[in-house]
Each structure stands twice: as C-alpha cells, then as structure tokens.
Amino acid sequence: MAVLATNSNTQAAARRVNIWDTPWLNAKFVTGSSIIVLVLLFGLLGPLFWNTDLAFTASSPVNLPPMWDKGGSPEHPLGTESNGRDMLAQLVVGIPASLKVGLLAASIGMGIGILLGSLAGYLGGWTDHIIRTITDSVITIPSLMVLISIAAYVRMPDTTAMALILALFAWPGPTRLIRSQVLTLRERGFVRMALLSNVPALEIMLFEMVPNMLPWLAASLTGGISGAILGATGLEALGLGPTRVPSLGTIINYALNSSALVRGMVWWWLPPIITLVIIFTAFFLMTVGLDEIANPRLRGYGNGK
Amino acid sequence: MKPLFRLPITLLLVASFVSACAPQPAAPPAATQPTEAPKAAEATQPAEATAEPAAANPMDYLNAPREDTLIIDQPYKLETFDNWNPYTPGNAFGWGMSEIGMDDLMYLNYGDGKYIMWMAEAVESNDDATVWTLHLRKGITWNDGVPFTADDIVFTINMQIKNDKLSNHFYWAEWLDKVEKVDDYTVKYTLKKPNVRFSAERISGGVGVFPDIFVPKHIWETVEDPTTFKNYDPAKGLPLGTGAYILAKVTTNETILVRNDNWWGAKTGFAKLPEPKKVVFSYVGTEEVRTQTAIDNGFDSMQDITVGALQAILTQNPKWEAWFKDKPYAVPDPCARIISFNSLKQPWDDKDMRKMMSLVMDRQQIVDIAYEGSTTLAAYFWPAYSSMKPYSDLVDKETYESFLQPNLAAAEEILKAKGYVKGAKYWAKDGKDLAIEIQVPEDFIELIRVGDVYVEQLQKFGINASESKLGSVFYDNSANGNYEAQSNWFACGSVNEPWTTLNTFAGEAAPIGQRPKGPPIDNAFRWSNKQYTDLVAQIGVTKLDDPKLMELTKQALAILYDELPAIPSAQSRKIVPFNYTYWTGWPTSENYYIFPCNWCHLFTVAMTKITKAQK
Amino acid sequence: MGGLTRSYFIQRVLMFFLTIWIGVTLTFVIPRLSGSDPTTAMLLTMMNQRGYVENADKIIESYKTSFGLNDPLPIQYIRYLGHVVRFDYGFSFARFPTAAWDMVTPALPWTLILLSVAAVLSFLIGVTVGSLMGWRKTPRWLQSILPISLTFTSIPYFMFGILLISIIAFKLHWLPATGGYSRSVDPGWNLPFIKDVLLHAVLPLISIVLTSMGGWALGMRGLMIGVNNEDYFLLAQAKGLSPARVFFRYGIRNAILPALTAFALGIGSLIGGSILVEFIFAYPGTGYTLYRAIQEQDYTVIQTITNLIIIITAAGVLILDLLYPLIDPRITYKRNVAS
C-alpha cells in the first residue's frame, strides 16, 4: 500500500508539466475560495462605498423596509431595523467580524491540535497519557456551559475575545482525531519503512504523516472555521457577544429580541442567515476541493467518471 | 434571545415565576384518566378539603370550556413545581397563588393613589406612629372553611421573627417590638421606633414591598421547619389560601387554578364572585411563540412584551388592546430607569462631570429609539404617576426642563473648564481619552437598548463609552461598588410618597469592595451627602399629611438634582395587552381601576371586574 | 486481536477516573471564577417575590453560612468531592429548599429520551449522507443534491427552531408548537398522553437532527474518501462485488470507527447544545435547568447536571477505547505503550 501511495504521488508530480494543469485549479476549491474572497472583499471594500457609521444604534430612521419595498428609501437600500441601524452597513461591518472569529478560533484550535495530537500519537508513552487525559477531560466538560459562564462574565469589547474563548474548546477535537490518525499511520507500511531506515522522527512526521493527513486536516480546518463561526453566532445570538460593533450573531440577537419574525421584518433576520449559509457552503466547497487536490485519484469523481 | 433569564425585572413588581422542569403533574394521584378532555372530577380528590357544602366540586371546573377559561401568559418556566412555601427563595407562588389564590389586606391603586380595602376594614396608628392597629373584615375563611382571624396574622409574623431564613425576618427584627391579637378581628403592632409608612410597607404592600402572604395557622403550627416545608399536597388542599381560586393541577409548563364557588368575598357580599371558572398560567416559550399564541387567542392576558411583538399582535388580531389604544401603548412601570454613577470612582466623583454626562443625554432619542415610542419623556427618579405629581412638581421647573433636551455646548464648557481637550475623536486630559464603561444586565433588553443609544450619544460627543453586558455579577458589582456607571433602576420605590426613592441615595458610602450595610441597605451609588441624608431621615418620620413634608422634600430634591449621583434616563414601561375575545372589562387607561399587572397581587381586584364577552 | 491487555485495561480505567476527577474539579472551579456570589441570585429571586428585602446583607450571610460558602475553599472542595461520590449535592442555592437533585430528576427522562433518539437519528442520517458523498460510485445527481441537506447546519439552532414553530405549528397547524404535553392530557401510561408526548417531540427532534447531522456527514465524508483509496477497497471493487456490498462491507464498516469515536465524544456537547433547543421549544428537560443555573450561579445544580454529563461522556469514551483494539486490528496498544 505504501508503494501505491508513493507511486500516485510521483505520478501526480510528473503530470504537473503545464502550469495550468496544477491541481490547485480544482473547480470546487476555486469556487469555494472565490466566494470567501468575495465575501471578504464585501467586508474590506464595503467601507469605501458605504458609511459604516450607519451600523451603530440611532444612526438612521427606524424600521425602514428595503428600497424595493413600499416605503423604502435608496438612502438605506437594505432597510433599517428597530434600533436605527442600517442593514447594509451592519452586514459590511458584521461579515468580516464573524469571519475573523472563525478563522482565529479554528486556526488556534487546529494549531494546538496538530502539535499535541502528533506528539501524543507519535511519541506515545507518558506524553501520550498526559495529553490524552487532559484532552479527554476537556472534551467531557459540556463546552456550552463553560462558554456561557465565561461569556456572561468576560467583558467583550470586540470579537477577538470571543475568538479566544471559542479556541479554548476548539483544540481537543482535532488533537484526539489527529492522534488516532497518527496511530493508524504509524502502523502503515511506508511509515514503518521510514522508521526502520532510521529517518528522524520530525522528518517522518512532516514528510510522511502530515501529507497523508492533509485531506483530513484541510477538511477539519475549514470545518473548524465554519464551526467556530456558528459557535460565535450562537453565543452572540443569545446576547453574549460584543455590544457596539455588529456581527452576524448580534444582528440575529437583536432581530429575535424585537420579534422581527412575527413582525414580518424579513429584511432584518433573513440577510444574516443567508450570509451564514453562503459562508458555510463556500467552506464546504473548499473542503471538498482540498480533498481532491490532496487525493489526486478523487479528482473528477462526482463528475460521473 | 428574549428574556431568557431576566432575573430581576423590577425589585418591585414581578412576582415569582422562576422556572422549572417539572414533568410530574401536580395533579392528584388518581389523575390518570385516558381521555383528551379529562373528567378530572374524581370524587375522591383534593377538593374534599373544601368541606364546605360546595355547590359543585371545584375540580369539575378543570373541564371548563375555553369561554369560561382565562389563560395568562408567563414569560418564564416553572422550575420548582413542588415548592409552594411563599417564604423561600425558589417557590412557585407566583404561578397563580399570589395573584388569585390569596387575598391581601388592602390594595393600592396607583391611578389615584387610593387604597382599596380588602381583608382589612381599617388601619390606624397612634400619633407618633409607633402603635398600629389593624381591623379585619368579618366572615373571611380559608378555602377549607376554617375562619381567617387575627391568630393567623400573629402566627405568620411570629414564625418569621423566629426564623432568620424567611424573607421578611430582618424587617420584623428591625422594626417590630411585638404583634398581638386584640380579638379575632383586631391586630395590634407595637414598633420599636416610629414608622409613618408602616401601613404602606407591611400592611398594604405599596410598591417596593410586597405585603406578607399569610399562612394558615392550623396547618403551619404543626410544621417542624418552615424554611424547608414545601406546602404542596393537592390531596390535602395545600397550598391553602383564602382567594377565590384553588390550585388544581400543575404540569411542566402550566398551573391550573379553579374557582371556589364558596369564596368568602362573594359569600359575604363584599365582592363579586369572579366569572372565569378556570385560570391557566401558561409558559409557551420565547416571545416569538408567546406572540403567535396570543394571535391565535391562546392567551387572554400577556405579561410585558416588546413593542414589536405588540404591533404584530395588534395588526394580526384586532381583539387585542393595550393600556393605551395608540402610542405609547404601555403603562408606566413603577421603577424609573436611571444611569447610576459610582461616586467613589474618578472622574465621576466630581458632580460637574456627572452633570456633563446628563447634558449629553438626549432623552427624547431614547424614547424614540430604545423604546420605539412606548414611553413618555420625563426626567424623574420615580414614576410620573398622578399619585406622585405633587412631589414631582417640587423639582425646580427650570432645572427640570434642562433635562428634557441635550445641551452639548454646556457639556463642552464643563469639560474645557476641567482641563479636557478635544482630540481627533475623544476628549482627553493628560494624554488619556475620557472613557466610561456602562454596565447593563445581559438579560434585560430594555436597559440594554437604553445603554445602546446612550453609548452612541456619548461616542458622537467624544467620550469613549462602552457597554458591558453582565450576568448576575452585575448585581454584585452594584452592591460592591465595582462599576463606573450602570444602566439600572436602583432608585425605585416611591409610588405615592417621596421617601422610598429618596432614601435609596441616603446614608454613608460603603467602601468599594464591601456591601453597603443596612439599613438603609441601598445607596449603591457610593454617594454621601450629610445634609441630604439628614433631610431624608426627617422625611422618613414626617406623616404624609404634614405640610412640612413638601418643604423637606423640595430641599432634598434640590440637592439631588444638583449633585446627580445618578441621572434619570427614561420612564419605564410595561406592555400588557389584553384580549377581548372571551373577556372584557380589563383595566385600561380610560378605565383605570387597578394597575394592569397580571403577575401582582393586585390582579385579584381585576379578577372581580372582568366579565364574559358577549358573542 | 491481541490488542487488549490487562495492563492496558487497568490503564484505561484509571484514566477514566482521572478524567472524571479533572472534569469534576473544573466544574468546581469554573463557576467560582466569575466572582459573583450565588446568594445574590437567591436574594434577587426573593426580592422578585417579596419585594424590598430589609437588611439583605444579613440574610445573605445567614444563607452563606448554612451553605458553607464562608468556609475556606479547600474545605469546600473536599466537601464537594464527598458530594460527587454520593452524587448528592444538597440544596439548590437559588431554589432553596428544593434539593439540587430534585431539580434535575424530573427533567432527566425528557432530555435523555429526546436526546438519545435525536443523537442516534442524526448520527445515522449524517453517516449515510456523508458516506454517500465520499463514495466514488454514488450517482452524480445524488452527489449534487446531498450537500444541500448540509446547509441546515449553518442556521443557528434556535433560529431554525423558531422558523419551524412559526411555519409548521402556527401557519400550518400540523403539530403543537412547544412544551412537553398538552394541558388536557393526564400524565401516565395512557395512550392519549403518550401520543401527545410524541407529537410534541417531533419539532424539537427535527430541529436537532437537521442542524446537527451535517457535522457527522462532513466527518464521515472525509473518512469515506480515505477508505476509497485503500487497497482492500480497490480490491473488493476489482473483484466485481456488488456496489452495495462494497459500500457497506468495505466502505462504511471501515470508515465508521473514527466516526464512532466522534460520536462518543459528541455526546457531551450534544447535551450541552440541547439547552438551546429545549429553551426554544419550552421542553421540560435538563437543558433549560442548566442554563438557568449558570445564570444564577446555582453551584449545586450546575454540578449535578454537568458532572452527570461528564460521567456519561467519559464512560462513552472508555467503552470505545476498550473496544477499539478489538475492532481495529491495525492498532496494537502494547506497541504504543512500549515505545
């Protein structure tokens, strides 16, 4: 099996003659990342075209429908909500804020997970025991309880604090699964072969194991990002987020608090949800694409071949 | 999320409700009738407790049809379904018993400031307000037929004096020398020191204090430990009250009370027997669900909802009506909203800085945005009730009007005089931006929205204001002085006299990190002013009809509005709409016979007034 | 098969207790970090019911003393460990005089039944969807439809719950909106009650399953893709076995092990996450009780529920760890321990 895996890698490398033939041009990956880039651009360039001060309370008239509805105004194309905030401005400010939380929390979690997971799985022995015990203990504690307790008492000026709180619970999952992945890989032919030929541990980890775990790592990271975004949105929607600067979750929180649903203020609660679905879908496409890039043989599957 | 866990709503109103997961029905053990519409009327049921010759077994009313049923919205879940001991912290009494299962001695109508005598016929005091005498109506009975007498009152009070874990213990310990039965219908209270508001505080339970709930001596005298007694056994008729309704069934999210046709009030001809045969106190979930249930006529009366929810209800079911038919819709809550400053923290120890904060506040914008127009513009520390008007008018007119609109120029003058310089964004002194953190309770949406608007006003003006939403640590911070500013209601208390609110600012400032020692326990503001405290002490012993009261109050108010340990932010409001599909005669702004509060003891009065809607 | 040795077994069991001890200790520490006083919340409930409480500081002291909150932390901790062993934490702080355990027991069956059904359903559906997505032979139309089912995952739990309630319960009137059962039925082993309970459980169930299955599906998809490349899988295909047989015998069966681990680990967060669902649906389970307890700093109730979750999760992990070497011959723990 080891031979097979190595073979396929060399084949992939050999095929990469034409630069346009690079596997990174995978359609799903490109689509997914383009959406994320577009969403990011919306947030980054938005402030150039739209006054973000309108995202703050009492900056606009209250309860205006979007401009295409009766009573709407081009001054506030997506309408305003009950606290006098412009919806477009809120999205411009809120989307990057939510993405930032996801990226930060997932990256920290993943980083710690890779480090601890491979240490535990590869070194074994006492290192393994200690890491596992800590990981297991943290996993068994219902994270929502801790998150709620912390979020209710930590003062949150911005989303960074929220990301760090989420990161507290973002690492044990990856740690445990990477460890078990490493354990499985250790027993594989090519790793054993490397072990037998006295290749240094770090090298084995980096060059033999990590590439083999790549699809899983990538999927886990993108999954982690959307997970963290959802986690943050959930806490914020409960009213546990930062107060002044909007994020997708705080928009939902205010919408729920003001009965936007029964009031028929669709322009208030729907945009953050659509945005979440788009972000989630984009990360999903990226995950699928990444898998195919790392696993050349997957390329084209699902295309009916 | 809606009022997920709004702990304290107002110190005052809000009765209990704290939620619970009580899957087991409180229903009598025999209640396993497999029918959709249960014939709950097993003859062997709790109600035999009502040994009186009942016209009907009250339990029959469990099957009452919708048009004979009154359904009241509860915003919280019932958590301790089996604790009906009214003197413990986590009881279920607010699920019907304190509203319609009990009677008070008398009720205060905030509309005209007058008392409605109920179980009491009269209350009087001697000249120095140290001895109070209570005269009871004749013919009052517990729902098991045993007469309610002075014995029950004396027993209830003595039980609390003996036990320091019962909630009113320290009140009685502080004030009461002894309580005696003169005869079955007369009780004499001898106080340790004069208290002109004793009747308001303990006999009627104005606002700020709930009256005692009396317990039946013949049941409780055999109870070993009243702090852990649960008072719940429907088969034995517990909890036992004097009210027109009896607790019949408890489910996980609801309590059901049925009418006692032998209620003493109707039998003595003192009040009309309420018309609803069955009353359900029902929790259905978040505000979205409550609102939709109301639109579907699943409720007859709702407990404080948001303006948005009200508008949804009014447009989708024309049978609902709020206190006012149009804006502001809401009835003012007795607790005015304030921003309180910590007078021990720099730079807020300077009264000019606090004044500056008030000059920046645009109160009309708070009304328009934070309240969406559901309250009125006023700048008092107490509610703008007509019963408070004589005292409200004592605030210097010019001073008062300066609170009604912001004055940024004057605020800038103050800052400049204090050595602040306006930088690119914020005012700064010694290279430090002027900043303030305003704490709000995370579950109290109304106050959060006030904070939101105020923070933006301050930011625009050039003060780096921020808002922190905190859990129950909010209240610890308040008690221990760990805050710069809070959006709260801690000056609450007065509804028909000035002392209670004024007293919240009186006394010594406890050092930061320590709870203020009572009494007076309040002064969370860490503000102390000897002259003011002396004035309030005098007001405290001046009777309401003494002309001196006005002069003293005027002086105290002058100090308060000059020093501003807190600034009024808004008049609070409660949106409590009623459904006219099945029942009419609800209290409204035009028919103000009682404060429209379905979670207060006062609701007993409303129950006797509502009538079946004509089809 | 020889992976399970005695020393391995003892080690696992020791680790199980160690894990619980650490978890239980964290449950002791975390609520105390906030610096908020549990008796404050109690006093507030009291004030809500009884109004202005004179000399509040004295009442607070009186209760603090009887709850032992004035004792030094180490003593409180030792007493707490005693409670853990007996699984009795005494009175609820915020709801005195109700025992913490009495706050939880009535709610427990509701939560356990709803959640175990929801967890199993969501896992089964998620794993099936994920495997199909990760399997090369899945028809193309299915490949493009399946991901749509995952988008539910991106809608916050409660938002989704509220949408379900407003459409299915209020617009269409198909199912009851919230609660555990209707006021007209009498709890017990009777048909109308059981039917009513089941009807009330449908919406919460749908909402948990739809919003949580995406997680399992994504994980399983990744695992299945891995299996796609394994020699035995390719061999099975080459042998010309029927696709269904290859899919189940060689695909799912091999990919599911790590997914099962994830499942065991996910139990805790599932119970935690159900808080929100129970809240939205006014469901009479423990989730809401826990939420409330956290808000009110009700240490004993928090501890009762949290420690229960910790023990259940840790037990799940232990069982899985013990079974793992028996099921997956590729792993031998002896070797691992030795190195």
Side-chain angles (χ1 to χ4, degrees):
Chain A
M1 149 188 25
V3 180
L4 216 72
T6 334
N7 267 352
S8 75
N9 281 345
T10 17
Q11 278 164 15
R15 235 189 294 144
R16 211 174 298 147
V17 194
N18 182 338
I19 47 159
W20 294 110
D21 194 26
T22 153
W24 294 97
L25 272 181
N26 175 290
K28 286 166 195 152
F29 179 70
V30 171
T31 318
S33 28
S34 315
I35 297 176
I36 294 296
V37 169
L38 280 179
V39 171
L40 271 175
L41 280 182
F42 177 75
L44 293 177
L45 300 182
L48 301 178
F49 299 102
W50 200 248
N51 180 5
T52 48
D53 283 349
L54 295 180
F56 297 126
T57 305
S59 59
S60 318
V62 294
N63 300 336
L64 281 184
M67 59 187 281
W68 55 85
D69 262 15
K70 211 172 118 242
S73 128
E75 307 264 297
H76 303 284
L78 297 184
T80 63
E81 38 90 293
S82 297
N83 301 285
R85 289 187 266 227
D86 177 72
M87 284 307 298
L88 180 56
Q90 287 209 82
L91 290 175
V92 169
V93 178
I95 291 173
S98 290
L99 278 175
K100 191 181 112 191
V101 174
L103 270 173
L104 206 60
S107 317
I108 297 175
M110 199 68 202
I112 301 177
I114 292 179
L115 187 75
L116 294 183
S118 20
L119 277 180
Y122 186 79
L123 295 178
W126 281 108
T127 327
D128 186 29
H129 286 313
I130 293 167
I131 292 176
R132 283 205 62 187
T133 314
I134 297 173
T135 315
D136 282 6
S137 315
V138 174
I139 283 178
T140 51
I141 296 172
S143 57
L144 201 70
M145 165 207 131
V146 184
L147 290 177
I148 292 170
S149 328
I150 297 178
Y153 299 104
V154 172
R155 288 167 200 175
M156 253 180 289
D158 62 29
T159 44
T160 316
M162 174 67 88
L164 294 177
I165 292 175
L166 284 168
L168 279 182
F169 288 94
W171 63 270
T175 303
R176 221 190 128 99
L177 289 168
I178 287 169
R179 176 189 167 278
S180 69
Q181 208 76 358
V182 170
L183 268 186
T184 317
L185 284 175
R186 267 175 54 108
E187 306 301 318
R188 297 260 186 122
F190 62 95
V191 177
R192 282 193 183 177
M193 211 129 83
L195 277 168
L196 285 175
S197 34
N198 274 339
V199 181
L202 190 70
E203 210 170 294
I204 296 183
M205 257 199 243
L206 280 182
F207 296 106
E208 301 289 344
M209 289 189 171
V210 171
N212 271 283
M213 292 193 294
L214 211 59
W216 192 84
L217 290 183
S220 167
L221 181 67
T222 41
I225 296 173
S226 28
I229 292 178
L230 287 180
T233 309
L235 287 180
E236 287 159 1
L238 281 174
L240 299 171
T243 40
R244 192 164 175 245
V245 183
S247 64
L248 295 176
T250 43
I251 302 178
I252 295 178
N253 173 242
Y254 276 99
L256 288 174
N257 281 346
S258 312
S259 309
L261 224 75
V262 260
R263 274 164 114 172
M265 294 173 76
V266 179
W267 67 89
W268 190 354
W269 59 266
L270 196 57
I273 291 200
I274 291 182
T275 315
L276 283 171
V277 171
I278 291 175
I279 292 177
F280 182 84
T281 312
F283 277 117
F284 174 71
L285 286 174
M286 279 175 78
T287 315
V288 176
L290 277 170
D291 281 347
E292 292 174 10
I293 291 164
N295 267 320
R297 275 189 269 163
L298 289 179
R299 248 175 274 161
Y301 96 99
N303 295 341
K305 285 189 197 167
Chain B
M1 212 91 285
K2 244 297 28 192
L4 240 195
F5 351 88
R6 172 186 303 181
L7 283 180
I9 301 241
T10 70
L11 288 188
L12 308 190
L13 291 181
V14 186
S16 82
F17 25 75
V18 191
S19 20
C21 307
Q24 290 316 313
T32 12
Q33 220 70 18
T35 44
E36 282 288 349
K39 347 168 182 140
E42 282 91 350
T44 48
Q45 268 186 32
E48 67 190 357
T50 337
E52 292 274 287
N57 182 339
M59 294 304 147
D60 288 345
Y61 289 145
L62 270 175
N63 305 321
R66 177 67 180 94
E67 59 268 22
D68 285 324
T69 305
L70 182 70
I71 308 176
I72 297 171
D73 158 51
Q74 293 282 65
Y76 303 93
K77 214 156 170 277
L78 174 63
E79 263 189 293
T80 41
F81 72 100
D82 64 346
N83 177 11
W84 293 81
N85 176 342
Y87 287 102
T88 54
N91 68 68
F93 235 66
W95 280 73
M97 279 307 286
S98 60
E99 292 87 349
I100 59 172
M102 306 294 298
D103 296 290
D104 277 2
L105 293 167
M106 51 199 202
Y107 296 98
L108 174 63
N109 180 1
Y110 307 158
D112 54 14
K114 292 206 177 88
Y115 288 102
I116 300 167
M117 303 312 272
W118 207 259
M119 293 206 293
E121 233 159 20
V123 180
E124 73 230 357
S125 78
N126 64 352
D127 281 347
D128 65 352
T130 49
V131 178
W132 288 76
T133 314
L134 165 72
H135 301 279
L136 285 176
R137 215 177 272 282
K138 296 192 173 64
I140 306 173
T141 55
W142 293 99
N143 281 331
D144 60 0
V146 175
F148 171 94
T149 66
D151 282 326
D152 293 305
I153 296 180
V154 172
F155 173 81
T156 303
I157 294 172
N158 282 332
M159 177 180 86
Q160 296 183 65
I161 290 179
K162 266 183 254 154
N163 204 313
D164 74 353
K165 285 201 180 53
L166 299 181
S167 46
N168 289 336
H169 167 82
F170 288 101
Y171 180 91
W172 294 120
E174 177 82 25
W175 291 100
L176 190 72
D177 181 31
K178 58 179 188 237
V179 58
E180 299 155 294
K181 166 186 172 181
V182 176
D183 58 52
D184 272 359
Y185 306 104
T186 315
V187 180
K188 194 170 98 188
Y189 303 81
T190 311
L191 305 188
K192 288 178 178 166
K193 50 193 174 183
N195 184 348
V196 295
R197 287 166 318 282
F198 179 73
S199 160
E201 284 175 7
R202 277 303 146 195
I203 298 183
S204 84
V207 170
V209 235
F210 289 115
D212 268 330
I213 288 172
F214 299 112
V215 297
K217 183 185 177 200
H218 61 282
I219 306 242
W220 283 62
E221 62 190 350
T222 59
V223 169
E224 249 171 62
D225 181 0
T227 57
T228 52
F229 177 56
K230 297 257 180 99
N231 192 27
Y232 179 66
D233 191 350
K236 287 189 186 144
L238 294 184
L240 178 62
T242 55
Y245 290 87
I246 300 170
L247 183 68
K249 185 172 174 180
V250 181
T251 72
T252 48
N253 291 341
E254 290 181 340
T255 56
I256 303 175
L257 288 92
V258 290
R259 190 175 71 191
N260 175 12
D261 291 350
N262 291 314
W263 178 51
W264 67 270
K267 269 197 354 200
T268 57
F270 144 75
K272 193 186 83 169
L273 185 68
E275 291 189 15
K277 290 178 179 151
K278 171 167 111 179
V279 182
V280 181
F281 288 79
S282 170
Y283 167 76
V284 295
T286 61
E287 190 178 58
E288 293 275 353
V289 181
R290 289 162 63 204
T291 307
Q292 304 205 42
T293 309
I295 294 169
D296 276 7
N297 286 329
F299 288 130
D300 295 299
S301 163
M302 292 195 80
Q303 188 165 327
D304 198 26
I305 54 172
T306 59
V307 197
L310 177 72
Q311 279 166 347
I313 294 175
L314 294 182
T315 50
Q316 292 172 56
N317 185 341
K319 288 285 192 179
W320 282 89
E321 249 175 58
W323 182 249
F324 291 99
K325 286 207 175 84
D326 280 304
K327 279 193 176 174
Y329 300 119
V331 62
D333 179 87
C335 292
R337 303 320 189 203
I338 58 173
I339 302 287
S340 67
F341 297 102
N342 187 337
S343 294
L344 288 184
K345 288 226 166 140
Q346 277 182 329
W348 316 111
D349 53 349
D350 180 343
K351 73 170 183 181
D352 292 335
M353 290 300 280
R354 303 195 292 261
K355 169 130 206 196
M356 180 275 295
M357 293 293 282
S358 177
L359 289 167
V360 177
M361 181 181 276
D362 183 345
R363 294 181 172 80
Q364 184 61 49
Q365 193 180 45
I366 292 179
V367 171
D368 292 342
I369 291 177
Y371 286 88
E372 296 183 55
S374 63
T375 187
T376 43
L377 180 64
Y380 301 112
F381 293 98
W382 50 50
Y385 288 171
S386 46
S387 55
M388 284 308 288
K389 194 163 187 308
Y391 310 107
S392 298
D393 289 345
L394 295 174
V395 183
D396 177 61
K397 198 157 176 272
E398 208 177 309
T399 313
Y400 177 72
E401 276 167 3
S402 71
F403 281 80
L404 298 183
Q405 64 280 316
N407 187 342
L408 300 183
E412 288 185 10
E413 284 312 311
I414 293 180
L415 283 178
K416 279 180 195 154
K418 298 280 163 195
Y420 284 90
V421 183
K422 176 94 193 256
K425 245 180 129 177
Y426 300 121
W427 290 88
K429 186 171 160 182
D430 308 329
K432 256 181 71 185
D433 285 344
L434 181 57
I436 187 165
E437 183 211 37
I438 301 173
Q439 300 180 351
V440 294
E442 70 174 4
D443 46 9
F444 205 146
I445 289 146
E446 180 192 337
L447 289 179
I448 292 175
R449 289 184 69 174
V450 170
D452 286 347
V453 176
Y454 188 40
V455 162
E456 290 310 318
Q457 291 169 356
L458 292 168
Q459 283 277 350
K460 232 176 249 168
F461 174 68
I463 295 172
N464 190 6
S466 60
E467 195 178 355
S468 295
K469 293 186 265 187
L470 300 173
S472 64
V473 77
F474 175 86
Y475 306 97
D476 288 295
N477 285 351
S478 173
N480 294 319
N482 294 323
Y483 70 98
E484 284 186 284
Q486 286 193 331
S487 175
N488 62 32
W489 66 97
F490 294 159
C492 181
S494 291
V495 276
N496 63 344
E497 51 77 37
W499 181 82
T500 320
T501 284
L502 291 178
N503 188 47
T504 60
F505 297 97
E508 293 292 314
I512 288 177
Q514 280 179 29
R515 274 175 195 281
K517 292 274 176 262
I521 61 149
D522 273 346
N523 195 359
F525 313 93
R526 261 56 191 184
W527 176 72
S528 71
N529 182 307
K530 178 91 180 39
Q531 198 193 347
Y532 177 86
T533 304
D534 290 346
L535 279 168
V536 171
Q538 286 183 57
I539 296 170
V541 293
T542 309
K543 287 192 170 180
L544 288 187
D545 50 5
D546 191 331
K548 239 179 35 194
L549 180 70
M550 291 300 184
E551 187 44 41
L552 292 169
T553 305
K554 190 173 177 165
Q555 290 174 26
L557 282 171
I559 299 176
L560 194 61
Y561 275 78
D562 177 52
E563 287 266 347
L564 292 176
I567 57 175
S569 55
Q571 284 285 308
S572 173
R573 54 107 172 99
K574 288 272 179 275
I575 299 181
V576 280
F578 294 107
N579 183 349
Y580 288 76
T581 309
Y582 300 104
W583 302 100
T584 61
W586 297 108
T588 66
S589 56
E590 285 149 31
N591 182 17
Y592 194 165
Y593 58 84
I594 198 76
F595 188 71
C597 176
N598 63 24
W599 61 97
C600 308
H601 295 205
L602 300 173
F603 200 63
T604 297
V605 179
M607 285 303 293
T608 60
K609 304 271 184 187
I610 57 172
T611 53
K612 220 170 184 175
Q614 297 302 316
K615 275 284 149 91
Chain C
M1 283 280 140
L4 185 61
T5 63
R6 205 170 129 193
S7 72
Y8 171 72
F9 179 80
I10 292 170
Q11 222 168 19
R12 280 299 95 157
V13 173
L14 279 178
M15 202 119 118
F16 167 73
F17 285 111
L18 199 61
T19 305
I20 289 180
W21 175 67
I22 294 179
V24 151
T25 304
L26 285 175
T27 322
F28 177 81
V29 173
I30 288 169
R32 282 176 167 78
L33 287 179
S34 73
S36 158
D37 190 333
T39 45
T40 303
M42 194 176 86
L43 193 78
L44 287 165
T45 355
M46 215 151 165
M47 282 178 155
N48 278 341
Q49 296 177 335
R50 312 285 324 125
Y52 184 91
V53 176
E54 189 98 3
N55 289 347
D57 58 317
K58 289 190 189 156
I59 266 207
I60 287 185
E61 278 313 306
S62 163
Y63 272 103
K64 271 176 113 169
T65 313
S66 57
F67 287 148
L69 288 169
N70 283 331
D71 298 336
L73 275 183
I75 293 187
Q76 288 189 42
Y77 180 64
I78 290 166
R79 194 184 306 130
Y80 166 68
L81 288 184
H83 289 169
V84 174
V85 174
R86 276 177 279 129
F87 221 88
D88 173 13
Y89 300 84
F91 290 117
S92 152
F93 283 4
R95 302 265 173 271
F96 183 83
T98 304
W101 189 232
D102 287 344
M103 305 264 312
V104 179
T105 32
L108 214 52
W110 293 91
T111 299
L112 286 183
I113 294 172
L114 176 70
L115 287 189
S116 47
V117 174
V120 171
L121 266 184
S122 116
F123 182 71
L124 288 182
I125 299 177
V127 161
T128 314
V129 169
S131 313
L132 282 173
M133 284 195 312
W135 187 36
R136 212 177 303 187
K137 289 280 157 67
T138 306
R140 191 176 175 184
W141 61 270
L142 206 54
Q143 282 279 2
S144 44
I145 288 175
L146 286 174
I148 298 172
S149 67
L150 301 189
T151 51
F152 290 115
T153 312
S154 55
I155 304 176
Y157 263 5
F158 36 86
M159 194 73 213
F160 189 67
I162 288 180
L163 278 171
L164 273 183
I165 292 173
S166 35
I167 296 167
I168 296 184
F170 285 107
K171 291 256 154 52
L172 302 171
H173 290 279
W174 285 354
L175 287 166
T178 56
Y181 56 93
S182 317
R183 73 176 70 106
S184 60
V185 299
D186 286 307
W189 289 108
N190 57 76
L191 209 60
F193 175 71
I194 294 170
K195 198 178 124 206
D196 196 53
V197 167
L198 291 180
L199 280 181
H200 277 82
V202 175
L203 286 184
L205 199 66
I206 293 180
S207 124
I208 298 179
V209 169
L210 282 186
T211 50
S212 65
M213 60 172 251
W216 308 126
L218 276 183
M220 190 61 189
R221 178 185 166 279
L223 294 162
M224 192 68 180
I225 287 172
V227 170
N228 267 322
N229 287 340
E230 298 288 352
D231 297 343
Y232 56 81
F233 193 81
L234 297 172
L235 196 68
Q237 275 179 327
K239 275 204 296 200
L241 297 175
S242 78
R245 195 178 153 87
V246 175
F247 179 67
F248 287 108
R249 284 291 296 275
Y250 295 88
I252 290 194
R253 214 184 130 194
N254 283 293
I256 207 161
L257 278 175
L260 274 175
T261 315
F263 182 68
L265 295 174
I267 295 172
S269 61
L270 191 76
I271 299 178
S274 77
I275 285 176
L276 301 176
V277 176
E278 290 187 358
F279 172 69
I280 290 298
F281 288 96
Y283 205 72
T286 45
Y288 189 87
T289 315
L290 176 60
Y291 207 135
R292 199 84 211 183
I294 294 170
Q295 292 301 317
E296 294 179 346
Q297 293 284 302
D298 195 339
Y299 295 169
T300 47
V301 174
I302 298 178
Q303 285 155 357
T304 310
I305 301 178
T306 313
N307 290 348
L308 198 67
I309 300 177
I310 289 175
I311 291 171
I312 292 176
T313 316
V317 174
L318 173 72
I319 293 171
L320 210 81
D321 272 342
L322 293 180
L323 291 181
Y324 222 94
L326 294 178
I327 312 171
D328 190 348
R330 285 176 301 191
I331 295 176
T332 44
Y333 278 89
K334 249 198 301 193
R335 183 181 288 279
N336 179 26
V337 173
S339 60

